[in-house]
Amino acid sequence: MFKTIWDELSSRFDWLKHHTTWFRAIVGVMYFLLLTVLLSSNIFVSTLHLEVGEPSPQLITAPWTRVIVDQAKYTRDKEAAAKAVPPVYKPDEEYLTLLTKEVGSAFISLREASDDNDISISELKKLEPFASLPESLLTSLIETVPDELDKAEKAGRDIILNKARSLETGARTSEDMPAFRDRTKADLDQSELNEDFKVFFKAFVDREVTQPTLIVDEATMDVLRAAARTAIKQEELHYKANQKIVGVGDIVDETIYEVLVAYGLINNQNTGKSVAGIAMIVLIGMGSILLYLFQYKRDIFRMTNRLVLIGLTISLVLAIGRAVIALNLGTDFNSLSGMLIPIAWATMTVAILVGVDIAIMVSLVLAVFVSVLVDPALSTSFGLHSGVVALFGGIVGVYSVSRLSQRSDLARAGIFVSAVNVLVISGIALTSDMRLAVWVVGVILGIVNGLASSFLTVGALHWFESGFHITSSVRLLELSDPNRPLLKRLLLEAPGTYHHSILVGNLAEAAAEAVQADATLVRVASMYHDIGKLKRPYFFIENQFTQDNPHDKIAPTLSSLIITSHVKDGLELAKDNKLPVQIQDIIAQHHGDSLVSFFYHKALEEYENVPEETFHYEGPKPQTKEAALVALADNVEAAVRSMKQPTPGRVEGFVRKIIKDKLNDGQLDQCDLTFQDLDRIAMAFVRVLSGIFHSRVEYPEMPGIRESNNHSMHKKLVDEVGQEDDASSQKEKQPESPEGTVESIVSREG
């Protein structure tokens, strides 16, 4: 049963691996959920879910010393004071102007009726405020002489307007209108107006004065409200560490509730909304990294293992951060726990295994995530402080390993991160008026953060490399150790090949630096590119230290097979010794599918119609800059070493001819080298070869006066020179191919 389940799961996983889009989508959703849970976990830590008016289930004390300002109460008190300011009124001049016009319109109608008789009594009764007046009264008003009419208009209007403008007698609200009318009519009764006009103006007040005559003076009220708010003083609550906030069974009032919220001891938020907000932040962070990769690093965006690695490092460092925050550092120092999160570990790991620029982007996103992790509500400065420390520590960690050349660089990176953490924490201490003891603890945590980041990077780097099949510069440096088993075998069993590989490495490294390729990878791959010759070392001329050449006794086809098989043998050795994939690729590609022309032409001399395919390497052609550089350096070193008189001019011409031949043969078609790169490569090769084949000065003879004292030394020197001459003579007897046939030299060298 279990086997069936396991087989089913395995088949499902294989299906996912072959359907990359689905696999990436599922992994992305998993990371999204994991990061959301990690960042929102602090929301659920609070065990108190109290409301105002409820009894406290436990004794709650202040975690650390703090001055708490009840901001909500302070705001409520200010608004209450502002509302308590009594209203200040002023006359409604706009409405009073309207009343003045209505009084004037009424008297204009009376004058017209009196002068021209254009308006009859019946028509006058249709106008306000004449509708309620008897005809006899209207007739009396019409017959009033003009001077009396003007005096009556002014007197009645002044009585109404003066009463309306007065802050004591004017109507402030609709409820004040009846009293205002009564007071106004009483003043009209006591005036010197005749009875007819008194009746008219009373009717005018009843029918035309329909709204309050006073309004609130908003400008004055704003000034008074502002003064009332300013008069309210902000109350501060001073709590010492471990001071009681509320006891068991005590009722939680508004003040106590605000204190608990300020300390973060109570969850007063909508948990669902908070988690949704954090999920949005996670989505934006992940989307930013993916969008950056898609826009600027499309090659890495297509590598699923790189994306999984980035997500894993972010998740691991946040998980560590969650554990760090849970530590109890003491009531006065718990707010500093976020500064202990080793963000630089994640950024340095990404910089080494993926890329420096991508690690910078990860640093920015992680700084935001750390702020949310420490304080999900972002209601205090603790989250911001931790985020700033994480940001600068992470970026400095990235630049500290951007040019990693030896393992000690990782230790130095930890020191750099510690130093910048100390500076950032000190800056925060100055801006936030941090106490000396808290600053000291913060500095210690910053130093521990940097050193821990370095230790974690060193410890986890191997597992990340192995698990994700990524080769870092640290791994390459380890492989370049001459005491590695393969290199030691190469030195002992095929010393000529070993020294050839060292020279190829020097050439390829110089060329890699000239064309911005991976110089470390090129140098290390050059050391291993010919390890396949360990299987039959004496079939390659650089390992033949006697006059016997085994190729003289076998057929050219067999010689070609032996020469070309060193690539396949090298691949097998590389896989057995678990060399990185990049080095295996260079081993497979360093000869491309070129022709072993020396043995091919030798076969043509003996047989007719020899198939050329038999004398080709299996390939593939170099696919990367690094593989092409090793291939070119391999050919150049083997060919130039066979030159009789390697003068600088002849060496440069020969190097350029070799590169041109490789280009014309199509061996460089599948790598991304440009013609400008090829020129720089040639110059780099010539520069290195000039240092190898430099001219030497001839030693002068020893003075005769010192011959007797140095007779034994002179004899020894002569013996050594004689041995060198014998070696040179023996070397000259070796058959050498013409300089123009580069392929023949290379084929003999393998």
Side-chain angles (χ1 to χ4, degrees), residues 13-25:
F13 187 72
D14 291 338
W15 183 87
L16 281 176
K17 287 197 298 184
H18 288 89
H19 294 75
T20 309
T21 303
W22 279 103
F23 181 73
R24 290 157 69 99

Side-chain angles (χ1 to χ4, degrees), residues 207-329:
R207 301 182 70 88
E208 299 300 327
V209 184
T210 57
Q211 68 182 52
T213 60
L214 301 177
I215 59 174
V216 177
D217 188 351
E218 293 296 341
T220 304
M221 288 297 296
D222 288 341
V223 174
L224 295 176
R225 292 188 186 109
R229 293 189 183 99
T230 305
I232 301 299
K233 301 299 181 183
Q234 193 172 28
E235 296 182 6
E236 294 181 347
L237 300 176
H238 296 264
Y239 277 89
K240 299 290 185 181
N242 300 318
Q243 179 181 344
K244 172 185 172 183
I245 299 177
V246 63
V248 179
D250 293 344
I251 300 299
V252 177
D253 58 19
E254 291 185 358
T255 302
I256 293 175
Y257 185 82
E258 293 298 331
V259 172
L260 295 175
V261 170
Y263 271 113
L265 298 173
I266 190 170
N267 188 353
N268 67 335
Q269 299 178 344
N270 187 317
T271 303
K273 289 184 178 180
S274 299
V275 174
I278 290 174
M280 292 179 64
I281 294 175
V282 171
L283 190 62
I284 293 172
M286 293 178 61
S288 300
I289 294 175
L290 292 175
L291 184 61
Y292 177 82
L293 292 173
F294 180 80
Q295 189 73 23
Y296 301 106
K297 297 291 180 181
R298 194 71 62 88
D299 54 337
I300 296 178
F301 181 79
R302 297 190 184 98
M303 299 179 184
T304 304
N305 65 331
R306 299 298 199 276
L307 299 181
V308 174
L309 173 62
I310 294 172
L312 181 61
T313 53
I314 293 175
S315 301
L316 287 176
V317 78
L318 291 179
I320 293 174
R322 186 68 202 87
V324 167
I325 294 173
L327 295 176
N328 185 6
L329 302 179

Side-chain angles (χ1 to χ4, degrees), residues 548-567:
D548 296 332
N549 188 341
H551 290 287
D552 296 337
K553 303 174 184 179
I554 59 177
T557 53
L558 182 57
S559 294
S560 174
L561 180 62
I562 293 173
I563 293 295
T564 57
S565 65
H566 84 277
V567 174

Side-chain angles (χ1 to χ4, degrees), residues 154-416:
K154 182 178 183 306
R157 183 184 63 218
D158 290 344
I159 291 172
I160 295 173
L161 294 181
N162 289 338
K163 212 67 176 177
R165 282 195 174 94
S166 173
L167 299 180
E168 296 180 358
T169 59
R172 300 179 179 182
T173 63
S174 299
E175 288 77 12
D176 294 338
M177 291 300 296
F180 167 74
R181 293 191 184 101
D182 292 341
R183 286 192 293 268
T184 304
K185 287 189 284 186
D187 286 353
L188 290 171
D189 286 334
Q190 295 176 4
S191 68
E192 295 179 355
L193 292 169
N194 62 38
E195 292 300 325
D196 292 341
F197 282 107
K198 289 180 181 179
V199 173
F200 166 75
F201 279 112
K202 289 179 183 178
F204 181 86
V205 169
D206 286 335
R207 301 182 70 88
E208 299 300 327
V209 184
T210 57
Q211 68 182 52
T213 60
L214 301 177
I215 59 174
V216 177
D217 188 351
E218 293 296 341
T220 304
M221 288 297 296
D222 288 341
V223 174
L224 295 176
R225 292 188 186 109
R229 293 189 183 99
T230 305
I232 301 299
K233 301 299 181 183
Q234 193 172 28
E235 296 182 6
E236 294 181 347
L237 300 176
H238 296 264
Y239 277 89
K240 299 290 185 181
N242 300 318
Q243 179 181 344
K244 172 185 172 183
I245 299 177
V246 63
V248 179
D250 293 344
I251 300 299
V252 177
D253 58 19
E254 291 185 358
T255 302
I256 293 175
Y257 185 82
E258 293 298 331
V259 172
L260 295 175
V261 170
Y263 271 113
L265 298 173
I266 190 170
N267 188 353
N268 67 335
Q269 299 178 344
N270 187 317
T271 303
K273 289 184 178 180
S274 299
V275 174
I278 290 174
M280 292 179 64
I281 294 175
V282 171
L283 190 62
I284 293 172
M286 293 178 61
S288 300
I289 294 175
L290 292 175
L291 184 61
Y292 177 82
L293 292 173
F294 180 80
Q295 189 73 23
Y296 301 106
K297 297 291 180 181
R298 194 71 62 88
D299 54 337
I300 296 178
F301 181 79
R302 297 190 184 98
M303 299 179 184
T304 304
N305 65 331
R306 299 298 199 276
L307 299 181
V308 174
L309 173 62
I310 294 172
L312 181 61
T313 53
I314 293 175
S315 301
L316 287 176
V317 78
L318 291 179
I320 293 174
R322 186 68 202 87
V324 167
I325 294 173
L327 295 176
N328 185 6
L329 302 179
T331 54
D332 291 336
F333 311 115
N334 279 330
S335 59
L336 302 175
S337 59
M339 299 179 183
L340 195 56
I341 303 175
I343 296 300
W345 166 50
T347 59
M348 288 193 293
T349 300
V350 173
I352 294 171
L353 298 180
V354 183
V356 172
D357 42 2
I358 300 169
I360 295 294
M361 190 67 189
V362 171
S363 300
L364 298 175
V365 174
L366 271 176
V368 177
F369 285 179
V370 167
S371 299
V372 176
L373 179 66
V374 174
D375 182 16
L378 299 177
S379 58
T380 66
S381 60
F382 304 148
L384 177 61
H385 293 168
S386 300
V388 171
V389 173
L391 175 62
F392 288 104
I395 291 177
V396 170
V398 171
Y399 285 117
S400 299
V401 299
S402 60
R403 295 186 179 275
L404 192 66
S405 60
Q406 52 190 354
R407 188 175 292 276
S408 60
D409 289 343
L410 289 174
R412 191 179 300 113
I415 296 175
F416 290 156

